[in-house]
């Protein structure tokens, strides 16, 4: 079991498969990209599967989310999914992606055992997409979403970040589109995880702003805390159902007290929080031939030291020293 001093138990593992990405979203990284991790520093496919196996069989992990960077850039992704699906007990598996490569991989991922996907799409306007991501790939994302739905990777969840002066006015249009296509839309407050440290609290589009905009067109009924559990998104029933919309308000409505996540970076470090500045090295233990029991012990010790909260409401908050692409959202 992965438990901390506040009694929280981690059952959800986020695994970053690569720090690389084929987009350059303005809220994540600079236009020129980043200094990528050297290949020897990355975990191998075998090392990833071994660590997930330890987490599932010895530490109580029930859900595994593959992230990046962009996880579809990992050459061995389908094989990794297939091998994790063979673990006993079998964890639930999902993937967070920008969707660009989903059209050609969705069916194979489903066949390998992937349960569902989260796809990032911040706008319905191709020109705004190009401005936000610095790439002209809007059509590819839409085709990837359809391929995921056709393959049965459901529910297909769409993650959207709203930015002032760019797409802040699109909340109602995005929800209408998601309802039409049977996607579950989740808005995410912009978080301080950009490599260039350009995030500012003042002027950000908040959960309150998003809900106010949605209510100009839709009737929203709060789902309630019993249904939410430890999920990061607060959800509302849209126009009486069955569709729902979620808001992940990491900045204005932090949910740290119910957090059940632990994170593994692409280079084999444990992060107890997306906003943590401390890491615990599992790669060194792996490569020094440590037994599974020792790796599990190191992981438990790391989780025991998890802090009470991310500290985003603290005016002295200091952003993590690694961008989101290297940590894995």
């Amino acid at each position: 079991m992965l438990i901390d001093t506040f009694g929280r138990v981690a059952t959800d593992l986020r695994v970053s498969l690569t720090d690389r990405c084929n987009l350059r979203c303005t809220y994540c990284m600079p236009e020129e990209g980043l200094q990528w991790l050297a290949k020897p520093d990355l975990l191998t496919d075998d090392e990833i599967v071994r660590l997930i196996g330890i987490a599932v069989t010895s530490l109580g992990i029930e859900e595994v989310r593959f992230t990046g960077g962009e996880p579809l850039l990992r050459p061995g992704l389908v094989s990794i999914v297939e091998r994790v699906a063979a673990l006993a007990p079998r964890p639930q598996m999902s993937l967070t992606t920008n969707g660009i490569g989903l059209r050609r991989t969705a069916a194979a991922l489903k066949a390998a055992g992937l349960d569902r996907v989260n796809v990032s799409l911040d706008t319905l306007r191709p020109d705004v997409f190009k401005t936000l991501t610095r790439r002209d790939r809007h059509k590819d994302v839409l085709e990837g979403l359809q391929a995921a739905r056709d393959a049965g990777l459901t529910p297909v969840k769409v993650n959207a970040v709203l930015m002032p002066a760019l797409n802040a006015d699109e909340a109602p249009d995005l929800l209408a589109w998601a309802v039409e296509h049977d996607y579950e839309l989740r808005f995410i407050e912009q978080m301080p995880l950009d490599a260039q440290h350009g995030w500012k609290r003042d002027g950000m589009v908040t959960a309150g702003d998003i809900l106010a905009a949605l209510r100009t067109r839709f009737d929203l009924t709060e789902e309630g805390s019993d249904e939410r559990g430890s999920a990061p998104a607060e959800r509302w029933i849209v126009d009486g159902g069955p569709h729902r919309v979620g808001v992940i308000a990491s900045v204005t409505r932090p949910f740290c007290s119910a957090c059940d996540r632990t994170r593994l970076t692409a280079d084999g470090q444990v992060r107890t929080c997306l906003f943590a500045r401390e890491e615990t090295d599992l790669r060194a233990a792996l490569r020094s031939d440590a037994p599974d029991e020792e790796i599990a012990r190191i992981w438990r010790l790391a989780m025991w030291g998890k802090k009470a909260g991310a500290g985003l409401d603290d005016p002295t908050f200091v952003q993590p020293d690694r961008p989101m692409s290297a940590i894995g959202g």
Side-chain angles (χ1 to χ4, degrees):
M1 180 183 294
L2 290 172
I3 189 170
D4 64 30
T5 55
F6 300 94
R8 296 169 297 191
V9 177
T11 58
D12 184 331
L13 171 62
R14 310 294 171 100
V15 181
S16 176
L17 298 178
T18 178
D19 60 329
R20 296 174 184 265
C21 188
N22 42 12
L23 297 181
R24 296 292 181 271
C25 297
T26 57
Y27 51 77
C28 184
M29 68 174 71
E31 185 171 6
E32 65 274 13
L34 300 166
Q35 182 66 45
W36 308 122
L37 292 167
K39 188 173 182 179
D41 293 335
L42 292 170
L43 293 176
T44 67
D45 292 0
D46 287 345
E47 289 171 335
I48 289 170
V49 173
R50 183 182 172 195
L51 286 176
I52 295 174
I54 293 170
V56 168
T57 61
S58 300
L59 298 174
I61 291 297
E62 300 171 356
E63 299 180 40
V64 175
R65 170 85 60 85
F66 297 108
T67 71
E70 173 45 52
L72 294 181
L73 296 179
R74 179 87 186 200
L77 173 60
V78 172
S79 174
I80 290 171
V81 170
E82 189 172 38
R83 293 168 67 185
V84 173
L87 293 172
R90 180 200 185 280
Q92 287 289 305
M93 287 184 293
S94 59
L95 177 83
T96 294
T97 171
N98 61 31
I100 287 176
L102 264 181
R103 182 173 61 84
R104 65 177 182 274
T105 57
L109 288 167
K110 178 64 176 180
L114 192 70
D115 295 300
R116 63 174 186 81
V117 294
N118 288 23
V119 179
S120 298
L121 181 64
D122 303 320
T123 178
L124 299 177
R125 306 167 186 163
D127 58 326
V128 176
F129 182 91
K130 188 174 181 179
T131 299
L132 277 167
T133 67
R134 304 183 178 105
R135 298 291 186 269
D136 190 11
R137 307 296 298 273
H138 190 259
K139 180 173 180 287
D140 296 316
V141 179
L142 295 181
E143 290 177 349
L145 278 162
Q146 181 175 332
R149 186 183 60 197
D150 292 346
L153 292 169
T154 55
V156 176
K157 296 184 179 181
V158 177
N159 296 338
V161 176
L162 299 183
M163 305 280 287
L166 282 172
N167 62 338
D169 62 331
E170 287 196 65
D173 290 339
L174 280 163
L175 181 52
W177 165 83
V179 168
E180 178 186 354
H181 291 86
D182 200 25
Y183 302 140
E184 184 175 322
L185 180 63
R186 307 192 312 172
F187 292 99
I188 304 176
E189 287 183 337
Q190 184 193 2
M191 293 180 284
L193 290 168
D194 55 311
Q196 59 270 37
H197 289 191
W199 177 86
K200 290 181 174 58
R201 184 185 298 268
D202 294 342
M204 65 172 286
V205 181
T206 67
D209 298 331
I210 294 165
L211 291 169
L214 293 178
R215 286 188 169 114
T216 64
R217 196 182 305 180
F218 301 94
D219 178 55
L220 303 181
T221 305
E222 191 168 1
E223 189 175 57
S225 57
D226 289 344
E227 291 287 338
R228 181 184 184 184
S230 61
E234 295 179 79
R235 298 202 308 177
W236 283 262
I237 301 167
V238 180
D239 290 340
H243 294 95
R244 285 162 171 74
V245 63
V247 179
I248 299 177
S250 301
V251 178
T252 62
R253 303 181 186 179
F255 41 87
C256 300
S257 62
C259 180
D260 66 348
R261 283 165 289 287
T262 181
R263 287 177 165 81
L264 185 64
T265 69
D267 54 350
Q269 311 299 305
V270 168
R271 283 224 168 191
T272 59
C273 174
L274 190 61
F275 301 100
R277 293 182 64 82
E278 304 83 15
E279 297 178 333
T280 299
D281 188 4
L282 295 185
R283 185 187 62 197
L286 279 173
R287 296 181 180 179
S288 63
D289 296 323
D292 288 359
E293 294 79 7
E294 174 61 13
I295 293 171
R297 185 194 67 80
I298 296 170
W299 206 329
R300 287 191 190 97
L301 188 61
M303 289 304 297
W304 186 249
K306 183 172 182 172
K307 294 181 179 178
L312 295 182
D313 54 350
D314 185 342
T316 64
F317 170 76
V318 179
Q319 291 185 221
D321 54 0
R322 289 223 268 174
M324 183 161 54
S325 63
I327 301 168

